[in-house]
Amino acid sequence: MVSTCVKNRKDRYRLSKRDGIACSYHLSILWLSLYFVGISFFLIVTPKYADDQWYLSNLGDWLLNRDVFFITDGINPFKVEMPWKEMADTICFHYEHDTARIGNMIVMQFLLLPKWIGSGLCSMAWIYAVCIGLKISDVDWRNSPLVLVAVALWYFGMPWPTHLGGLVHQFNYLIPSAIAMYLLMILKNRQKQGGHIAAVVFVLSIILGAWHEGFALPMVSGLLSVMIFYRECRTAKGIMALTGLVIGVFYIMTAPSLTERASTLNLYYLATPWDMVKRLGKIVIVFHPLLLVLFVLEIIYCIKFNFRLLLHNSFIVFITVSACASILLSFATTGSERSGWWNDLIVPVGILLLLREMKWLDNGHIFINKLICWVIGTLTVASLLLTDIYTVRIARECRNVISECVEHKRFVIYNDWLSEFDAPLVWFTKIDTYHVGWEFLLPPCENNKYGLRNPSGSIRVLPESARRDENDSAGISNEDS
């Protein structure tokens, strides 16, 4: 009888423990699903703009002659023949004057299609990158509260103000994020060896290097650092990755567009040491503050444990060196948020690794840890929900502007467009607004069946209050006359 009672108690304990894990599992799935659905909604629903319009600048009349007024809708490739010559001319122009990144070459095929096709592909790439990021961070996505922290890091840390909703931007940054994370997963897994694995790493590294130098150069810096100081990192996979990345970057660096882009850089920040400090401070503190969080956690880790113990972790060293290299690359080039994308992608991995090592926020039995994670997760979901709401508004008003432009054949439109100052605080004014990134709403057009003449492709959007002020001024002048 006693043994039966003990057995029942053990069964109840196992059942309650299993149910608790199942509950955490379901909550993690819910939280990740909310994030993936929300971010995919933003990426897909945001209209084509900025670089998207620029890449279509020689196709304005071609699109209008095929009744495509709103380029986000795209064409039906089964009914309309693709303009292969115009597409080839665009690719050649950007290869010679803009950049030779293969992502920019491939995206041209998708710019003429409905945006949901290309952005849907990029959304899946980003979802994959985040999932791999959780895996290489050693975060148990089934029952760890750190899942909520990870979602917040990869949400708020993204360079939102630099055309993140545009298709060209997505191809340049989201797809290589997935490739890079997959490469890191292979390189970190020391059990996967063999010639075929090294060959896969070599091919993917070439693709990544040729896709974007902003990923390849920081990875080269990180790989070199760990291969020099850690014998276990001198593997065939590491050598193949390093070689492939260098080959890919060499392709970009030898393109004629590099010289032209380099000539446009403004090197004002080299005037004085103070200017350099201000520029670097702005890049780190304002654009990429997660790097500071990583530094603080590393200092705490060294105090709590041992500095040598931190240095013993070659993956943490790789993350730190490559993240710093990404910041320096941004400093030396445009200084914009997206030029340091690699930092925003890889630093959350380092933060999650350190939090897990120090067992902060990763103990589901401590109420305060779970509360902190839930607050972080709630703020993230609330901000993402508001982002999606304003994305719908932007998409709707963009259509209204285009419709009025085509109907009345004028390129000064009065519309109470969303201003970045109208957004709630929790939204954190992330996405572009019209006076920042929405200048080109139609590709330039001059010779089409609708009689539109707009060589610049620019539409000036003014608030309704400006129309009233203009009417009032006109009324006053008429009375005076």
Short mmCIF file of all heavy atoms in Angstrom, two decimals, residues 324-360:
data_model
loop_
_atom_site.label_atom_id
_atom_site.label_comp_id
_atom_site.label_asym_id
_atom_site.label_seq_id
_atom_site.Cartn_x
_atom_site.Cartn_y
_atom_site.Cartn_z
N CYS A 324 32.37 44.09 -33.75
CA CYS A 324 33.18 45.30 -33.77
C CYS A 324 33.63 45.64 -35.20
O CYS A 324 33.66 46.82 -35.59
CB CYS A 324 34.38 45.15 -32.86
SG CYS A 324 33.98 45.07 -31.09
N ALA A 325 33.97 44.61 -35.97
CA ALA A 325 34.36 44.83 -37.36
C ALA A 325 33.21 45.41 -38.16
O ALA A 325 33.41 46.27 -39.04
CB ALA A 325 34.84 43.52 -37.99
N SER A 326 31.99 44.96 -37.87
CA SER A 326 30.81 45.50 -38.54
C SER A 326 30.62 46.98 -38.22
O SER A 326 30.29 47.78 -39.10
CB SER A 326 29.57 44.71 -38.13
OG SER A 326 28.40 45.22 -38.72
N ILE A 327 30.84 47.36 -36.97
CA ILE A 327 30.74 48.76 -36.57
C ILE A 327 31.80 49.60 -37.27
O ILE A 327 31.53 50.70 -37.77
CB ILE A 327 30.86 48.90 -35.04
CG1 ILE A 327 29.69 48.21 -34.36
CG2 ILE A 327 30.92 50.37 -34.64
CD1 ILE A 327 28.34 48.79 -34.67
N LEU A 328 33.02 49.09 -37.32
CA LEU A 328 34.10 49.83 -37.99
C LEU A 328 33.84 49.95 -39.48
O LEU A 328 34.17 50.98 -40.09
CB LEU A 328 35.44 49.12 -37.74
CG LEU A 328 35.95 49.16 -36.30
CD1 LEU A 328 37.24 48.36 -36.17
CD2 LEU A 328 36.17 50.60 -35.84
N LEU A 329 33.25 48.93 -40.08
CA LEU A 329 32.90 49.01 -41.50
C LEU A 329 31.84 50.07 -41.73
O LEU A 329 31.91 50.84 -42.70
CB LEU A 329 32.39 47.64 -41.98
CG LEU A 329 32.01 47.53 -43.46
CD1 LEU A 329 33.24 47.76 -44.34
CD2 LEU A 329 31.39 46.17 -43.75
N SER A 330 30.87 50.14 -40.84
CA SER A 330 29.85 51.19 -40.94
C SER A 330 30.48 52.56 -40.76
O SER A 330 30.14 53.52 -41.47
CB SER A 330 28.76 50.96 -39.88
OG SER A 330 27.82 52.01 -39.89
N PHE A 331 31.40 52.68 -39.81
CA PHE A 331 32.11 53.94 -39.57
C PHE A 331 32.86 54.39 -40.81
O PHE A 331 32.87 55.58 -41.16
CB PHE A 331 33.07 53.76 -38.40
CG PHE A 331 33.96 54.94 -38.15
CD1 PHE A 331 33.53 56.00 -37.37
CD2 PHE A 331 35.24 54.98 -38.69
CE1 PHE A 331 34.36 57.10 -37.14
CE2 PHE A 331 36.07 56.07 -38.46
CZ PHE A 331 35.63 57.13 -37.68
N ALA A 332 33.50 53.47 -41.51
CA ALA A 332 34.35 53.81 -42.65
C ALA A 332 33.56 54.06 -43.93
O ALA A 332 34.10 54.63 -44.88
CB ALA A 332 35.38 52.71 -42.89
N THR A 333 32.30 53.62 -43.96
CA THR A 333 31.51 53.76 -45.20
C THR A 333 30.40 54.81 -45.00
O THR A 333 30.68 55.98 -44.84
CB THR A 333 30.93 52.41 -45.61
OG1 THR A 333 30.19 51.84 -44.52
CG2 THR A 333 32.06 51.44 -45.98
N THR A 334 29.16 54.36 -45.01
CA THR A 334 28.05 55.32 -44.99
C THR A 334 27.65 55.77 -43.60
O THR A 334 27.06 56.83 -43.44
CB THR A 334 26.81 54.70 -45.67
OG1 THR A 334 26.40 53.54 -44.93
CG2 THR A 334 27.14 54.30 -47.10
N GLY A 335 27.94 54.94 -42.58
CA GLY A 335 27.54 55.30 -41.23
C GLY A 335 26.06 55.15 -40.95
O GLY A 335 25.58 55.55 -39.89
N SER A 336 25.32 54.55 -41.88
CA SER A 336 23.88 54.38 -41.70
C SER A 336 23.60 53.14 -40.85
O SER A 336 24.48 52.33 -40.60
CB SER A 336 23.18 54.24 -43.06
OG SER A 336 23.63 53.08 -43.73
N GLU A 337 22.34 53.00 -40.44
CA GLU A 337 21.97 51.88 -39.59
C GLU A 337 22.20 50.54 -40.28
O GLU A 337 22.74 49.60 -39.71
CB GLU A 337 20.50 51.99 -39.16
CG GLU A 337 20.21 53.15 -38.23
CD GLU A 337 19.69 54.36 -38.99
OE1 GLU A 337 20.18 54.60 -40.12
OE2 GLU A 337 18.81 55.06 -38.47
N ARG A 338 21.80 50.47 -41.54
CA ARG A 338 21.84 49.17 -42.21
C ARG A 338 23.26 48.74 -42.56
O ARG A 338 23.51 47.56 -42.81
CB ARG A 338 20.97 49.18 -43.45
CG ARG A 338 21.39 50.15 -44.54
CD ARG A 338 20.43 50.04 -45.72
NE ARG A 338 20.70 51.01 -46.77
CZ ARG A 338 20.00 51.08 -47.88
NH1 ARG A 338 19.00 50.26 -48.09
NH2 ARG A 338 20.29 51.98 -48.80
N SER A 339 24.21 49.67 -42.60
CA SER A 339 25.59 49.27 -42.90
C SER A 339 26.20 48.46 -41.76
O SER A 339 27.22 47.81 -41.95
CB SER A 339 26.44 50.52 -43.17
OG SER A 339 26.45 51.39 -42.05
N GLY A 340 25.56 48.48 -40.57
CA GLY A 340 26.02 47.65 -39.47
C GLY A 340 25.07 46.51 -39.17
O GLY A 340 24.94 46.08 -38.01
N TRP A 341 24.40 46.01 -40.21
CA TRP A 341 23.39 44.96 -40.03
C TRP A 341 23.97 43.72 -39.37
O TRP A 341 23.32 43.09 -38.53
CB TRP A 341 22.78 44.60 -41.39
CG TRP A 341 21.76 43.50 -41.33
CD1 TRP A 341 21.99 42.17 -41.19
CD2 TRP A 341 20.34 43.66 -41.38
NE1 TRP A 341 20.80 41.47 -41.18
CE2 TRP A 341 19.77 42.37 -41.29
CE3 TRP A 341 19.48 44.76 -41.52
CZ2 TRP A 341 18.40 42.15 -41.33
CZ3 TRP A 341 18.12 44.53 -41.55
CH2 TRP A 341 17.58 43.24 -41.45
N TRP A 342 25.18 43.32 -39.74
CA TRP A 342 25.76 42.11 -39.16
C TRP A 342 25.82 42.22 -37.64
O TRP A 342 25.58 41.25 -36.93
CB TRP A 342 27.15 41.86 -39.72
CG TRP A 342 27.84 40.73 -39.03
CD1 TRP A 342 28.82 40.81 -38.08
CD2 TRP A 342 27.57 39.33 -39.20
NE1 TRP A 342 29.19 39.56 -37.65
CE2 TRP A 342 28.43 38.63 -38.33
CE3 TRP A 342 26.69 38.60 -40.01
CZ2 TRP A 342 28.45 37.25 -38.23
CZ3 TRP A 342 26.71 37.22 -39.91
CH2 TRP A 342 27.57 36.56 -39.04
N ASN A 343 26.16 43.39 -37.14
CA ASN A 343 26.18 43.60 -35.69
C ASN A 343 24.82 43.30 -35.07
O ASN A 343 24.72 42.62 -34.05
CB ASN A 343 26.61 45.04 -35.39
CG ASN A 343 26.50 45.38 -33.92
OD1 ASN A 343 27.42 45.16 -33.14
ND2 ASN A 343 25.37 45.95 -33.52
N ASP A 344 23.76 43.81 -35.70
CA ASP A 344 22.41 43.61 -35.16
C ASP A 344 21.96 42.17 -35.28
O ASP A 344 21.08 41.73 -34.53
CB ASP A 344 21.41 44.52 -35.89
CG ASP A 344 21.78 45.99 -35.76
OD1 ASP A 344 22.36 46.35 -34.73
OD2 ASP A 344 21.50 46.77 -36.69
N LEU A 345 22.54 41.43 -36.20
CA LEU A 345 22.18 40.02 -36.38
C LEU A 345 22.90 39.12 -35.40
O LEU A 345 22.29 38.21 -34.83
CB LEU A 345 22.48 39.59 -37.82
CG LEU A 345 22.24 38.12 -38.16
CD1 LEU A 345 20.76 37.79 -38.12
CD2 LEU A 345 22.83 37.79 -39.54
N ILE A 346 24.18 39.36 -35.18
CA ILE A 346 25.00 38.41 -34.42
C ILE A 346 25.08 38.75 -32.94
O ILE A 346 25.23 37.85 -32.09
CB ILE A 346 26.43 38.33 -35.02
CG1 ILE A 346 27.16 37.08 -34.52
CG2 ILE A 346 27.21 39.60 -34.72
CD1 ILE A 346 26.51 35.79 -34.91
N VAL A 347 24.98 40.03 -32.57
CA VAL A 347 25.09 40.40 -31.15
C VAL A 347 24.01 39.75 -30.29
O VAL A 347 24.30 39.31 -29.17
CB VAL A 347 25.09 41.94 -31.00
CG1 VAL A 347 24.81 42.35 -29.56
CG2 VAL A 347 26.44 42.49 -31.44
N PRO A 348 22.74 39.67 -30.73
CA PRO A 348 21.75 38.95 -29.91
C PRO A 348 22.17 37.52 -29.58
O PRO A 348 21.85 37.02 -28.50
CB PRO A 348 20.49 38.97 -30.79
CG PRO A 348 20.62 40.23 -31.56
CD PRO A 348 22.08 40.34 -31.87
N VAL A 349 22.88 36.86 -30.49
CA VAL A 349 23.37 35.50 -30.20
C VAL A 349 24.32 35.54 -29.01
O VAL A 349 24.23 34.71 -28.08
CB VAL A 349 24.06 34.90 -31.43
CG1 VAL A 349 24.67 33.54 -31.10
CG2 VAL A 349 23.07 34.76 -32.59
N GLY A 350 25.25 36.50 -29.01
CA GLY A 350 26.18 36.62 -27.90
C GLY A 350 25.48 36.97 -26.59
O GLY A 350 25.82 36.44 -25.53
N ILE A 351 24.50 37.86 -26.64
CA ILE A 351 23.76 38.23 -25.44
C ILE A 351 23.02 37.03 -24.87
O ILE A 351 23.06 36.78 -23.65
CB ILE A 351 22.78 39.38 -25.76
CG1 ILE A 351 23.55 40.66 -26.09
CG2 ILE A 351 21.82 39.62 -24.59
CD1 ILE A 351 22.67 41.81 -26.54
N LEU A 352 22.38 36.27 -25.72
CA LEU A 352 21.64 35.10 -25.26
C LEU A 352 22.58 34.04 -24.68
O LEU A 352 22.27 33.40 -23.67
CB LEU A 352 20.82 34.51 -26.41
CG LEU A 352 19.67 35.37 -26.92
CD1 LEU A 352 19.10 34.78 -28.20
CD2 LEU A 352 18.58 35.51 -25.87
N LEU A 353 23.73 33.86 -25.32
CA LEU A 353 24.71 32.90 -24.80
C LEU A 353 25.17 33.28 -23.39
O LEU A 353 25.24 32.43 -22.49
CB LEU A 353 25.91 32.83 -25.73
CG LEU A 353 25.78 31.93 -26.97
CD1 LEU A 353 26.97 32.15 -27.90
CD2 LEU A 353 25.68 30.47 -26.58
N LEU A 354 25.48 34.56 -23.18
CA LEU A 354 25.95 35.01 -21.87
C LEU A 354 24.85 34.93 -20.82
O LEU A 354 25.10 34.56 -19.67
CB LEU A 354 26.50 36.42 -21.98
CG LEU A 354 27.81 36.56 -22.77
CD1 LEU A 354 28.18 38.02 -22.97
CD2 LEU A 354 28.95 35.82 -22.08
N LEU A 355 23.63 35.32 -21.20
CA LEU A 355 22.51 35.22 -20.25
C LEU A 355 22.28 33.78 -19.83
O LEU A 355 21.99 33.49 -18.66
CB LEU A 355 21.24 35.80 -20.88
CG LEU A 355 21.19 37.32 -21.05
CD1 LEU A 355 19.92 37.72 -21.79
CD2 LEU A 355 21.26 38.03 -19.71
N ARG A 356 22.41 32.86 -20.79
CA ARG A 356 22.20 31.46 -20.45
C ARG A 356 23.35 30.92 -19.59
O ARG A 356 23.13 30.18 -18.63
CB ARG A 356 22.10 30.64 -21.74
CG ARG A 356 21.64 29.20 -21.52
CD ARG A 356 21.77 28.40 -22.79
NE ARG A 356 23.13 28.39 -23.27
CZ ARG A 356 24.09 27.61 -22.78
NH1 ARG A 356 23.83 26.77 -21.79
NH2 ARG A 356 25.30 27.65 -23.28
N GLU A 357 24.59 31.33 -19.92
CA GLU A 357 25.73 30.88 -19.13
C GLU A 357 25.64 31.36 -17.68
O GLU A 357 25.99 30.63 -16.75
CB GLU A 357 27.03 31.39 -19.78
CG GLU A 357 27.42 30.69 -21.06
CD GLU A 357 27.90 29.26 -20.83
OE1 GLU A 357 28.41 28.99 -19.73
OE2 GLU A 357 27.74 28.44 -21.74
N MET A 358 25.18 32.60 -17.49
CA MET A 358 25.08 33.15 -16.14
C MET A 358 23.75 32.80 -15.47
O MET A 358 23.49 33.24 -14.36
CB MET A 358 25.27 34.67 -16.20
CG MET A 358 26.67 35.09 -16.61
SD MET A 358 26.96 36.87 -16.50
CE MET A 358 25.98 37.47 -17.87
N LYS A 359 22.90 32.07 -16.24
CA LYS A 359 21.60 31.63 -15.72
C LYS A 359 20.73 32.81 -15.29
O LYS A 359 20.02 32.75 -14.29
CB LYS A 359 21.78 30.64 -14.56
CG LYS A 359 22.54 29.38 -14.95
CD LYS A 359 22.52 28.35 -13.86
CE LYS A 359 23.35 27.12 -14.25
NZ LYS A 359 22.91 26.52 -15.52
N TRP A 360 20.81 33.88 -16.05
CA TRP A 360 19.93 35.03 -15.83
C TRP A 360 18.70 34.87 -16.71
O TRP A 360 18.79 34.56 -17.90
CB TRP A 360 20.64 36.33 -16.21
CG TRP A 360 21.67 36.78 -15.21
CD1 TRP A 360 22.14 36.07 -14.14
CD2 TRP A 360 22.37 38.02 -15.22
NE1 TRP A 360 23.08 36.79 -13.48
CE2 TRP A 360 23.25 38.00 -14.11
CE3 TRP A 360 22.35 39.14 -16.03
CZ2 TRP A 360 24.09 39.06 -13.81
CZ3 TRP A 360 23.18 40.20 -15.73
CH2 TRP A 360 24.03 40.16 -14.64
#
